Amino acid sequence: MSVVVLDDGPIGGGQTARTTAHLSNVLTYRYHELEQMHGEEGAKLVAQSHTTAINTIEAIATQENINCDLERLDYEF
């Protein structure tokens, strides 16, 4: 299998260098801020889109038997 990683700048730089490759519904803007900017329905769509993206990545990794150490973690705050 071949993979191409596109990054704006040096290899392994940019966001690639600053992230831990985690998938999360925790965003830069809090949901109450998103609701103020985009309304209740807009904030719900943001949450749903992130959840769908995470679920899709997990489904593809499972279906394609991709050994990527994907693990779901539950955190209590």
Side-chain angles (χ1 to χ4, degrees):
M1 184 177 295
S2 296
V3 175
V4 174
V5 176
L6 301 177
D7 208 339
D8 181 16
I11 296 172
Q15 285 301 317
T16 302
R18 293 192 271 300
T19 65
T20 58
H22 65 276
L23 305 171
S24 175
N25 279 350
V26 177
L27 307 174
T28 302
Y29 289 105
R30 297 197 167 138
Y31 284 104
H32 73 271
E33 295 172 312
L34 292 169
E35 184 176 359
Q36 290 173 350
M37 291 186 280
H38 303 291
E40 184 178 343
E41 193 59 33
K44 284 181 183 180
L45 287 172
V46 170
Q48 290 170 352
S49 70
H50 281 263
T51 299
T52 298
I54 293 167
N55 292 340
T56 300
I57 291 167
E58 181 179 42
I60 291 169
T62 300
Q63 290 169 1
E64 299 295 327
N65 198 28
I66 299 171
N67 184 10
C68 59
D69 296 327
L70 179 64
E71 180 180 356
R72 287 227 183 223
L73 302 174
D74 291 325
Y75 288 98
E76 291 186 29
F77 294 96

